[in-house]
Amino acid sequence: AENMYFFSELALTLNEPEERVAPTDSRLRPDQRLMESGRWDEANVEKQRLEEKQRAVRRRREAEAVEALEEGKEYEGYIPLWFERKVDAVTGELICVYKGGYWEAKDKQDWSVCPDIF
């Protein structure tokens, strides 16, 4: 631990790659992998590419929402795959609750519902 900034073993292994995870798993971020292998310049370029890709998706969703509003249609917007937002009965805070599906998809290795985020 003293050689790794006094992080616990758990903290040190949280970002370790794992096989058979969803293609949206943050451990698969290409910029992060490049950074971890010391390829800083490439990591920065990749990070910029990913951020611009995210901005483009957000702009497209915003445009779809405006278009739906103009046409008088409902627009659901982004719906998370594995979680749903609910109000905590005790605290009254908005929380995310697992709604199922991830472990089944992992068992089947069927990630067809996952968006291409990288």
Side-chain angles (χ1 to χ4, degrees):
E2 61 274 0
N3 292 333
M4 299 302 274
Y5 310 103
F6 294 98
F7 287 166
S8 69
E9 185 175 344
L10 173 65
L12 290 171
T13 58
L14 281 175
N15 200 41
E16 287 294 314
E18 180 183 331
E19 293 182 9
R20 302 175 53 85
V21 296
T24 54
D25 191 295
S26 65
R27 292 171 290 185
L28 300 177
R29 280 182 49 168
D31 60 323
Q32 198 164 337
R33 296 281 132 222
L34 289 166
M35 181 191 69
E36 288 175 350
S37 50
R39 297 162 60 187
W40 295 100
D41 292 338
E42 293 172 71
N44 285 328
V45 169
E46 183 63 15
K47 183 175 183 286
Q48 292 298 319
R49 184 191 71 79
L50 290 174
E51 288 174 348
E52 185 49 45
K53 186 174 183 174
Q54 291 170 356
R55 288 184 196 104
V57 169
R58 186 190 73 231
R59 286 190 297 265
R60 181 181 46 94
R61 286 185 183 142
E62 289 171 350
E64 288 171 356
V66 168
E67 184 178 320
L69 181 65
E70 289 172 350
E71 295 175 2
K73 297 178 182 175
E74 268 300 299
Y75 180 74
E76 288 190 42
Y78 175 73
I79 300 171
L81 293 175
W82 319 118
F83 295 88
E84 59 187 335
R85 293 183 178 141
K86 292 188 172 186
V87 175
D88 185 284
V90 176
T91 66
E93 294 180 356
L94 191 61
I95 59 172
C96 294
V97 178
Y98 178 63
K99 65 181 181 182
Y102 176 82
W103 299 110
E104 296 80 3
K106 186 173 183 178
D107 285 343
K108 294 176 188 172
Q109 283 298 286
D110 178 8
W111 303 115
S112 57
V113 297
C114 292
D116 174 23
I117 64 172
F118 301 131

